[in-house]
Amino acid sequence: MSSRRVALFASVAVLGAALLVSIPRARAEAGPLTPQDLALLGANAMFHTDVTFNESMLHAASQTMPDEDRAIIAKLRSITVHTFRYSAAGEYDPAALATIRAQFDEEGWNHMVVKQPRPQVAAAPGAAGTDPDGGPTAAPPPSPAPRDAGRTEVWVKMKQSNVDGIVLLVANERSVNLIVFDGMISPL
């Protein structure tokens, strides 16, 4: 994907994120997820917002873009952003995310990317090492508990040899964000 197209999609995603802050709650159109799946994630959320940019909204926004970018936006049917925020770490049900992931797999989406940092392993309390001469050293100071820095996943839906949708799922300790680009995104 060219850097210009990446910048375009990033701009649209940032626009969506900005609207999430300013719009209290918008009704999402039907997308690849059923309300049941989203309801599972929203059960413990202190903040939940769904925003959908439908085809006519995307067309209106494309009028302010350069001509070469309009062709890209013209092929999109919608962009939907689902945001869930939690008051404390670990309040969302991992099984709810597993249900959503499974739904994409069952509906023919290709799971293309999973990025999950490896958690830092804390040293055992009281564990001592040895110095270069082989003598004992003091135990290292206790490190903070291991922390999951987040997980990013990307699914792509193919229609013949064209990309017909992209889903981006970003989950960390206190939030889950799901962005669905529905429409023809090929040729890349």
Side-chain angles (χ1 to χ4, degrees), residues 4-5 7-8 62 65-75:
R4 184 170 182 83
R5 287 187 179 167
L8 173 66
S62 73
M65 297 177 183
D67 289 339
E68 61 268 12
D69 294 340
R70 287 183 191 175
I72 298 167
I73 297 298
K75 296 177 187 177

Side-chain angles (χ1 to χ4, degrees), residues 113-184:
V113 176
V114 176
K115 179 187 176 283
Q116 182 171 2
R118 188 174 15 182
Q120 297 293 326
V121 179
T130 57
D131 63 20
D133 297 326
T137 61
S143 61
R147 182 171 176 251
D148 180 13
R151 179 176 174 137
T152 302
E153 299 180 70
V154 178
W155 286 266
V156 175
K157 182 140 190 166
M158 300 299 293
K159 187 174 187 179
Q160 297 163 349
S161 62
N162 294 316
V163 174
D164 195 42
I166 295 177
V167 173
L168 174 66
L169 173 66
V170 180
N172 63 35
E173 293 177 332
R174 295 182 57 183
S175 67
V176 174
N177 298 292
L178 183 70
I179 303 170
V180 180
F181 295 90
D182 182 25
M184 191 66 63

Side-chain angles (χ1 to χ4, degrees), residues 69-82:
D69 294 340
R70 287 183 191 175
I72 298 167
I73 297 298
K75 296 177 187 177
L76 290 174
R77 292 180 291 273
S78 67
I79 298 174
T80 304
V81 179
H82 305 279

Side-chain angles (χ1 to χ4, degrees), residues 39-116:
L40 292 173
L41 277 177
N44 295 327
M46 69 173 193
F47 174 82
H48 169 211
T49 299
D50 298 320
V51 175
T52 297
F53 299 95
N54 62 23
E55 204 164 356
S56 62
M57 295 167 87
L58 291 170
H59 174 73
S62 73
Q63 299 307 306
T64 63
M65 297 177 183
D67 289 339
E68 61 268 12
D69 294 340
R70 287 183 191 175
I72 298 167
I73 297 298
K75 296 177 187 177
L76 290 174
R77 292 180 291 273
S78 67
I79 298 174
T80 304
V81 179
H82 305 279
T83 298
F84 303 88
R85 301 279 185 263
Y86 304 91
S87 60
E91 284 194 357
Y92 65 84
D93 182 7
L97 277 181
T99 301
I100 290 172
R101 288 182 184 111
Q103 183 175 357
F104 285 117
D105 292 336
E106 291 165 5
E107 292 180 6
W109 290 79
N110 299 308
H111 201 184
M112 302 295 290
V113 176
V114 176
K115 179 187 176 283
Q116 182 171 2

